[in-house]
Amino acid sequence: MMNLNTSIGMSLIPAILLALAASSFNAAAEEPSAKSVASKKSSNVRPDDPTQNIQRRLKNLVAQGGVLDAYPIALAQAWIDFARESYFRKDRRAAAEALSEAQFVVEAIERDGDQVKVDARLIQSSTKLRDDLWRKAEGFKRDVEFRCATWQTARLEVALIAAGRADRDLGWRAARAFVRRAERFSRDAEAKLKACAEPKPIPEKEQLSVEKKSADDVAAVPPTAGKTIGPISIQSIPDRVHFRNESAELSDVSALVLEQVSYVLRANPTIVLDLRGYANDLSKLDENEQLGIARAQAVQDYLVETGVARERLMVRPGSQVSGEGKTAIERAKARRVELVPTSSESIPMEYQDKDLAIDGSSGS
């Protein structure tokens, strides 16, 4: 007969497994070796992944010009990630419900385009936890700079729903890891909104140019003259993508970022990019450089598959930096490929970290 201690120990196993799974929410498994990454393909899709079709539809939306910073796209991706994670830890009910929510959001985007109105909905197997964090999420959505924190807000909401699912199924102990993750996303959203709200200084030369142009316009245009100016679409390119520890495989979020890059490049065929691959903390410099190049090649291959000419994408190693003494976030930021325009035609570049893969290791 099983004794009391054994029984208690066995009852904790599901909670421990859920807590471990929560630590990998929004991140895929690491590669086992840095030496083998150069020969790996850029796709990391498992053949039994039930989210493949809906992920493909979301990528198509971005490839057709969908705005990556739009909240509905961020929400769809958060649901897809939760569905995938739930499926592979054998929580098939949560996987099915999350996949249904992802499909609902993607269909709404396909139907309504830029006018789509969606929100994170509580799935049937979850329960609502942490009203304070839900209120924060609603506050973020009302902020005038919300576009800067759409991904963090969507992740926050889905993490709270995951916490409610764990709490309802196994209790608070299993939910705590997801709640901590939601708290981190809340802090990240606050930091993003604050950074976007801070006024950006205008360089002195640019300021003088603006002032001179304004003065010329006033002198040249009669007071009664007027004209209608239509909406101006300013294109920009995300300036980097990030990678998991010791991996040269693109995550689904990185693929969405590159779909936006591809859309702009195909609309502007004279732009040429350097793809500079970075790594850190490998024991040998040549292995370090090999991993950086493998990451840059993965980006090049993906963009070529989307229709960008390979000769417009130059693979180069970036300078390698030690990760000793760095935080997990700093190490995650070092695992990247930077996209640097080298052609005469200029294009606005925009810093992005939506695909940042944070872990507790010090690997490359």
Side-chain angles (χ1 to χ4, degrees):
M1 179 180 294
M2 184 181 295
N3 62 35
L4 180 60
N5 290 337
T6 302
S7 177
I8 293 173
M10 292 295 291
S11 68
L12 289 177
I13 289 176
I16 292 171
L17 290 175
L18 258 182
L20 290 173
S23 67
S24 64
F25 177 59
N26 190 33
E30 295 179 359
E31 292 299 311
S33 169
K35 293 182 178 180
S36 62
V37 295
S39 62
K40 293 186 179 294
K41 300 293 183 181
S42 61
S43 172
N44 63 347
V45 175
R46 290 175 55 163
D48 56 338
D49 183 353
T51 68
Q52 292 182 58
N53 181 58
I54 199 69
Q55 184 73 72
R56 189 179 304 112
R57 287 166 66 183
L58 185 61
K59 286 183 181 179
N60 288 340
L61 287 170
V62 176
Q64 293 163 11
V67 179
L68 194 64
D69 285 333
Y71 169 75
I73 288 178
L75 181 60
Q77 186 63 55
W79 277 123
I80 289 170
D81 290 340
F82 180 46
R84 183 182 296 115
E85 179 223 345
S86 298
Y87 180 84
F88 288 118
R89 61 175 169 80
K90 310 301 183 184
D91 186 353
R92 300 302 166 82
R93 180 177 181 183
E97 291 178 331
L99 192 58
S100 176
E101 290 300 309
Q103 183 169 332
F104 169 78
V105 176
V106 168
E107 287 176 351
I109 301 172
E110 291 171 338
R111 181 182 64 249
D112 300 331
D114 294 340
Q115 306 303 314
V116 64
K117 302 290 184 185
V118 291
D119 218 333
R121 307 186 303 184
L122 201 66
I123 58 177
Q124 188 175 1
S125 64
S126 182
T127 187
K128 195 170 185 181
L129 300 178
R130 292 294 300 269
D131 285 344
D132 60 319
L133 290 177
W134 280 106
R135 286 194 296 271
K136 280 193 173 184
E138 289 304 314
F140 298 153
K141 293 176 184 179
R142 292 192 297 269
D143 195 291
V144 294
E145 302 290 354
F146 177 52
R147 64 178 181 80
C148 297
T150 52
W151 283 76
Q152 291 76 16
T153 303
R155 291 284 196 247
L156 161 61
E157 293 171 322
V158 174
L160 285 174
I161 294 169
R165 163 65 178 156
D167 180 64
R168 187 168 180 174
D169 198 35
L170 293 169
W172 174 246
R173 182 176 296 180
R176 283 186 298 183
F178 289 108
V179 171
R180 286 195 293 270
R181 181 164 292 274
E183 290 172 338
R184 180 172 68 80
F185 285 133
S186 177
R187 292 192 297 270
D188 290 347
E190 289 174 337
K192 285 281 190 179
L193 293 172
K194 181 180 178 181
C196 284
E198 292 175 352
K200 306 298 187 294
I202 301 177
E204 185 177 351
K205 289 183 179 179
E206 186 176 332
Q207 180 67 44
L208 291 173
S209 174
V210 170
E211 290 175 353
K212 182 178 185 300
K213 183 177 180 181
S214 298
D216 292 343
D217 289 344
V218 170
V221 181
T224 56
K227 61 180 180 178
T228 302
I229 300 176
I232 300 174
S233 176
I234 301 176
Q235 291 180 320
S236 64
I237 292 180
D239 68 342
R240 67 195 64 203
V241 292
H242 299 89
F243 291 80
R244 296 178 301 278
N245 182 40
E246 296 189 6
S247 172
E249 291 190 357
L250 294 164
S251 69
D252 289 325
V253 180
S254 297
L256 285 180
V257 172
L258 292 179
E259 292 291 353
Q260 181 172 328
V261 173
S262 173
Y263 178 80
V264 176
L265 290 180
R266 285 181 282 118
N268 299 272
T270 61
I271 295 175
V272 177
L273 295 179
D274 269 359
L275 308 176
R276 301 177 186 175
Y278 292 80
N280 67 315
D281 266 358
L282 288 180
S283 58
K284 296 180 181 179
L285 181 61
D286 59 338
E287 291 179 351
N288 218 23
E289 186 171 293
Q290 180 187 21
L291 178 54
I293 291 175
R295 287 170 171 166
Q297 287 174 335
V299 172
Q300 183 191 56
D301 290 344
Y302 191 93
L303 290 173
V304 168
E305 289 173 5
T306 66
V308 180
R310 189 175 295 272
E311 56 268 22
R312 298 172 60 193
L313 307 164
M314 305 294 108
V315 170
R316 305 187 189 282
S319 58
Q320 312 307 321
V321 182
S322 172
E324 185 176 353
K326 299 292 194 301
T327 66
I329 292 179
E330 289 171 333
R331 291 193 297 269
K333 288 182 177 180
R335 299 192 291 266
R336 69 188 187 275
V337 170
E338 291 183 354
L339 285 63
V340 183
T342 60
S343 54
S344 58
E345 181 180 350
S346 61
I347 190 80
M349 304 299 293
E350 180 180 356
Y351 174 80
Q352 84 81 23
D353 60 2
K354 302 172 186 67
D355 60 345
L356 206 60
I358 303 171
D359 56 55
S361 71
S362 60
S364 64

